[in-house]
Amino acid sequence: MKHAFSVWNNFFTSAELDAIEGLGDAMMQEKAVVAVPSDNDDKVRITNVAWIPHNAQTVGLYRRVTQLVQRLNNDVYQFDITGLEALQYTIYHGTEGGHYDWHTDLGPHNPKPRKISLTIQLTDASGYEGCDLQFQAGPKLGHAPRERGSIIAFPSFFLHRVTPITSGTRKSLVVWATGPDFR
């Protein structure tokens, strides 16, 4: 693999991206928590999230995301994938200094191992400052693109972070593809 992550553009139309954002904005958002809570949670992560359930209203979105994951997995990863977790609508606010320090997406409490993580950029890069998705998979930092509609996919065990946002608001849809334990 040449980079720590794969990028796919133009999978979702502008209307689909608007619909995802509208759906997420209409949902009850909560302060995100870290996998192992501590007194220093805000040093690790400041983010608001909403969980998009798989139901009659979202079946089309889940179908599109499943198509995306299957194509990326077939073309790039070839992992044993059996499902998706609930989709996470994620919001970083400049007024809060939103960020998420270095972490992997494996998590100790997931019912099935996460194998592929995806971030779908919903906000145009001109709508915020900072808030860069970065990867550490070798001696150099990898920087994900910021264009609206960019899909950034990576193995869930890769170390990554979102740097502090200094102004504006960044919204994304986060997806985790799951499967049996790695062997």
Side-chain angles (χ1 to χ4, degrees), residues 20-33 45 47-54 58 61-62 85-93 122 170-176:
I20 294 168
E21 193 170 349
L23 177 66
D25 285 345
M27 300 187 74
M28 176 65 73
Q29 297 159 13
E30 59 192 39
K31 181 178 172 146
V33 295
R45 183 179 192 185
T47 315
N48 293 315
V49 298
W51 297 96
I52 300 176
H54 191 176
T58 63
L61 174 59
Y62 271 83
E85 287 188 24
L87 305 178
Q88 183 188 82
Y89 183 70
T90 307
I91 306 158
Y92 295 91
H93 294 289
L122 298 174
R170 176 180 174 241
K171 300 174 183 178
S172 61
L173 187 67
V174 178
V175 178
W176 295 287

Side-chain angles (χ1 to χ4, degrees), residues 139-154:
K140 289 182 149 186
L141 281 182
H143 297 266
R146 298 167 51 106
E147 290 78 28
R148 185 172 197 247
S150 292
I151 299 162
I152 302 97
F154 54 96

Side-chain angles (χ1 to χ4, degrees), residues 31-46 99-102 108-109:
K31 181 178 172 146
V33 295
V34 295
V36 180
S38 75
D39 293 337
N40 295 321
D41 284 359
D42 283 354
K43 287 185 179 180
V44 176
R45 183 179 192 185
I46 298 175
H99 68 280
Y100 197 170
D101 207 356
W102 290 110
H109 305 296

Side-chain angles (χ1 to χ4, degrees), residues 117-159:
S117 299
L118 295 95
T119 298
I120 302 165
Q121 281 287 108
L122 298 174
T123 305
D124 187 83
S126 65
Y128 62 96
E129 295 290 328
C131 213
D132 292 315
L133 175 58
Q134 298 177 334
F135 298 88
Q136 185 69 57
K140 289 182 149 186
L141 281 182
H143 297 266
R146 298 167 51 106
E147 290 78 28
R148 185 172 197 247
S150 292
I151 299 162
I152 302 97
F154 54 96
S156 298
F157 52 79
F158 275 19
L159 195 61

